[in-house]
Amino acid sequence: MAGVDPIVTLEHRHGDDWWRFSRRAAPAAFCPHVVSNVDYAETTRSFNVRRELPHPAPVLIVNLGEPIGIVDGFGIRHVFGAGEGFIAGLHERFALSESGGSQAGVQVALSPLGAIRLLGVPLGRLAGEVAGLAAVLGSVVARELGARLVEAADTEARFALLERFVGDRLGRARDADSAVEWAWTQLTADPLQSVGALALATGISQRHFIARFREQVGLPPKAFAQVVRFDRLIKRVEGGALDWTTRALDAGYFDQPHMLRDFRRYAGMTPRAWLAATLPGGGGLAER
C-alpha cells in the first residue's frame, strides 16, 4: 500500500522463552493521536507475570490467544479471553499482566487526546483503571472488532483492520479540548515546563487549567509531566547498567535522589532490581 510504513519485527529467544513483536508506525493521517500498532505473540516458561510501569500513553489491547489477567494499580484483577479487549488509562502505580505461558494480541498505542477521540470519553474517567472495550465502545462494536481480529490471517491483515477501525472512529470524532491538547504537546516535549506558565499561555486560570487537563488526560499536568520524565529515564537506560547520574540528568532529573524516589514510586523497586528483572529483546519486566 502506497505511503504505508513497513512492518518491523523483533523476535527474541531467551532460554526457554520466546517472544515476537511486529510494529508499524501509525499512518501520518492519524498523528499525533495514534503512535503505532503492535502485533505480538510469545511462549514463556521462566515467568508468566510482568510488571507494567506507568507511562504517558494509554494503550488499547485486544487479546487473540489464551486468557490473560491484568491486575490494575488498585489491585483489581481483570480477565480477558480471545477476542476481548481493554483500554488502560494513565496511572501512577505499576500494574501486573498475567498469562498461562502463551499469549498473542494486538496493541494500539495512543496519545491521551487520541484516546478521547477514539473512545468518545475523557480519560479522567479511566484514570488508573483497566476498562473492557465492551464497556467503553459498546458490546456490539467491541465484539465485532475482536472477532475480526481473531479471524484475520496474519499481521498485515490485523494491522489493516485496526487502521480501518481507528480511521473510522477518528473521522467521526469531535475535536478535543484545544488548550489541553496544546499543553499535552508541550509537556510531552519538555516535562520540566511550569504548569503556571502553561496555564497563563492558554488564558485559563491555573485552577481551571489543572481541572480540565486532569479530566481530559487522566492525570493533573504536574503528575503527567513526572510520568513523562520517568518514562524518558526508562527508555534511556534500557539495555544494561549505565551511568545513572548522567542518564537521570538527561531525562530531566535534578539529582539522583529524585530519580530514586521515582523508581520507588512508579516501579516499586530500586534501579538495580529493575535492571535485574528487565528482560532482553524488549521483553519487559519479569515479575515471577
Side-chain angles (χ1 to χ4, degrees):
M1 184 185 301
V4 175
D5 285 347
I7 295 172
V8 178
T9 295
L10 171 67
E11 186 171 339
H12 191 87
R13 292 190 180 276
H14 181 61
D16 291 332
D17 304 325
W18 166 86
W19 48 84
R20 183 228 359 121
F21 302 99
S22 297
R23 184 186 307 272
R24 181 157 73 193
F30 294 178
C31 295
H33 311 307
V34 184
V35 178
S36 65
N37 294 325
V38 177
D39 181 89
Y40 60 88
E42 70 174 22
T43 300
T44 60
R45 294 183 179 178
S46 68
F47 68 94
N48 62 0
V49 180
R50 283 186 175 87
R51 184 173 295 206
E52 309 289 352
L53 305 188
H55 52 85
V59 294
L60 182 157
I61 292 176
V62 178
N63 179 33
L64 303 178
E66 297 178 7
I68 58 172
I70 305 293
V71 180
D72 65 25
F74 299 112
I76 300 172
R77 187 170 185 270
H78 313 260
V79 178
F80 301 95
E84 296 178 329
F86 62 91
I87 180 81
L90 298 191
H91 53 282
E92 297 181 84
R93 307 174 188 175
F94 67 82
L96 300 176
S97 61
E98 309 168 343
S99 77
S102 175
Q103 65 170 308
V106 292
Q107 172 183 295
V108 182
L110 302 158
S111 75
L113 281 300
I116 293 173
R117 287 180 167 90
L118 189 70
L119 304 174
V121 297
L123 288 190
R125 300 183 188 178
L126 305 178
E129 296 186 4
V130 171
L133 289 184
V136 180
L137 299 176
S139 58
V140 174
V141 173
R143 186 167 56 248
E144 182 178 356
L145 174 64
R148 289 183 175 180
L149 287 168
V150 168
E151 294 169 359
D154 53 24
T155 296
E156 180 69 51
R158 286 187 285 273
F159 282 170
L161 279 168
L162 284 174
E163 288 162 6
R164 284 197 297 271
F165 172 78
V166 170
D168 180 62
R169 299 282 298 189
L170 293 180
R172 295 186 285 110
R174 294 181 300 174
D175 288 340
D177 187 316
S178 59
V180 170
E181 188 158 28
W182 175 82
W184 166 80
T185 302
Q186 298 300 307
L187 287 174
T188 300
D190 179 8
L192 300 183
Q193 293 192 65
S194 161
V195 173
L198 291 174
L200 183 63
T202 64
I204 306 169
S205 73
Q206 185 166 330
R207 182 170 66 87
H208 283 95
F209 169 74
I210 292 173
R212 281 168 60 173
F213 193 99
R214 182 171 193 163
E215 178 188 20
Q216 297 294 308
V217 174
L219 295 174
K222 183 177 180 180
F224 174 75
Q226 289 169 341
V227 171
V228 170
R229 182 175 64 176
F230 181 69
D231 187 63
R232 281 187 172 189
L233 175 66
I234 292 296
K235 287 181 169 58
R236 279 168 167 75
V237 298
E238 282 178 334
L242 299 168
D243 180 346
W244 282 98
T245 300
T246 299
R247 293 298 182 264
L249 292 172
D250 287 347
Y253 287 91
F254 297 109
D255 53 38
Q256 199 162 355
H258 281 87
M259 179 198 74
L260 294 173
R261 178 204 63 193
D262 274 8
F263 257 96
R264 290 192 296 269
R265 176 183 179 186
Y266 296 127
M269 59 177 62
T270 65
R272 179 174 294 182
W274 174 81
L275 276 175
T278 298
L279 298 163
L285 195 64
E287 178 78 5
R288 59 181 183 272

